[in-house]
Amino acid sequence: GAGVSQSPSNKVTEKGKDVELRCDPISGHTALYWYRQSLGQGLEFLIYFQGNSAPDKSGLPSDRFSAERTGGSVSTLTIQRTQQEDSAVYLCASSPIHRGNQPQHFGDGTRLSIL
Amino acid sequence: AQTVTQSQPEMSVQEAETVTLSCTYDTSESDYYLFWYKQPPSRQMILVIRQEAYKQQNATENRFSVNFQKAAKSFSLKISDSQLGDAAMYFCAYTQRGGSNYKLTFGKGTLLTVNP
């Protein structure tokens, strides 16, 4: 597709369940970023990938969060044993290369609701 | 750590008029990039304008322009001839130029309403 694609668009799940969020970046973009947008915390950086490598995982809020990227393309953000505070919109972005002057192109996000 | 502050949670403007959204930031770096992103209800973040800190000239993109004051660490967005489609949440964002992590640090956002 032409833009960053995220799925599902919305996800409702029960507390304690695991969820997987998917991001399909713009074709050819080597850098991929995950952010979380919540009412209380605003927009927070979670993790970035350069190719398949994630050099900086310091933004992940707890060890229940993990992410991977395979084939330098699709990325999956996994949240285990979900908690109500995990409710948020999870945004993915990609850029052609991992540089500050490269604009990040965002997807529409996944709205995650934990019951 | 870098911080970005948007002091106006909400702003409103009449269609065809001009509005300025404020942003200040804090960093110890001398070289960096600043951005304004727009987020309509569709949730997709759209890049509005970008400024490189080492350039003194203010960036412009059609009806959008910035007033970049490096010494004051201020980066305001001016929207001229406001249109109904400009209604959205606007985020100011910062990223470094050097180093290895080019994550965006965002402000809390300003919700812009455009009145017909």
Side-chain angles (χ1 to χ4, degrees), chain A residues 33 35 45 47-48 55-59 98, chain B residues 95-104:
Chain A
Y33 307 81
Y35 296 87
F45 165 78
I47 191 170
Y48 83 90
D56 184 352
K57 301 180 181 180
S58 62
H98 184 56
Chain B
T95 192
Q96 62 188 18
R97 188 179 186 205
S100 60
N101 188 341
Y102 301 106
K103 67 179 182 181
L104 291 168

Side-chain angles (χ1 to χ4, degrees), chain B residues 1-2 26-32 73 94:
Chain B
Q2 293 80 14
D26 189 23
T27 181
S28 59
E29 303 292 325
S30 60
D31 215 355
Y32 44 85
K73 294 181 181 175
Y94 165 103

Side-chain angles (χ1 to χ4, degrees), chain A residues 99-102, chain B residues 2-4 23-35 49-57 67-76 92-99 101-105:
Chain A
R99 287 288 185 272
N101 64 345
Q102 296 294 307
Chain B
Q2 293 80 14
T3 59
V4 178
C23 173
T24 58
Y25 58 94
D26 189 23
T27 181
S28 59
E29 303 292 325
S30 60
D31 215 355
Y32 44 85
Y33 299 95
L34 296 164
F35 305 85
I49 200 164
R50 174 178 63 183
Q51 176 77 42
E52 295 150 332
Y54 59 89
K55 290 187 177 179
Q56 293 186 343
Q57 186 174 6
N67 183 2
F68 173 51
Q69 301 290 326
K70 191 173 184 180
K73 294 181 181 175
S74 171
F75 182 60
S76 61
C92 179
Y94 165 103
T95 192
Q96 62 188 18
R97 188 179 186 205
N101 188 341
Y102 301 106
K103 67 179 182 181
L104 291 168
T105 299

Side-chain angles (χ1 to χ4, degrees), chain A residues 16-19 62-66 78-83 86:
Chain A
K17 300 286 189 183
D18 297 353
V19 295
S62 77
D63 58 8
R64 296 185 295 104
F65 287 71
S66 63
T78 301
I79 309 173
Q80 296 179 308
R81 305 181 302 281
T82 52
Q83 304 293 313
D86 300 334

Side-chain angles (χ1 to χ4, degrees), chain A residues 2 6 13 15 49 52 61-62 64 71-72 75 83 99 101 108:
Chain A
Q6 291 188 246
T13 193
K15 176 182 172 181
F49 288 89
N52 291 334
S62 77
R64 296 185 295 104
S75 175
Q83 304 293 313
R99 287 288 185 272
N101 64 345
D108 290 343

Side-chain angles (χ1 to χ4, degrees), chain B residues 36-66:
Chain B
W36 278 98
Y37 278 88
K38 167 185 176 181
Q39 187 180 40
S42 66
R43 293 201 307 246
Q44 186 180 37
M45 299 280 279
I46 301 165
L47 178 67
V48 174
I49 200 164
R50 174 178 63 183
Q51 176 77 42
E52 295 150 332
Y54 59 89
K55 290 187 177 179
Q56 293 186 343
Q57 186 174 6
N58 289 323
T60 61
E61 286 288 341
N62 301 312
R63 297 182 296 106
F64 298 88
S65 62
V66 299

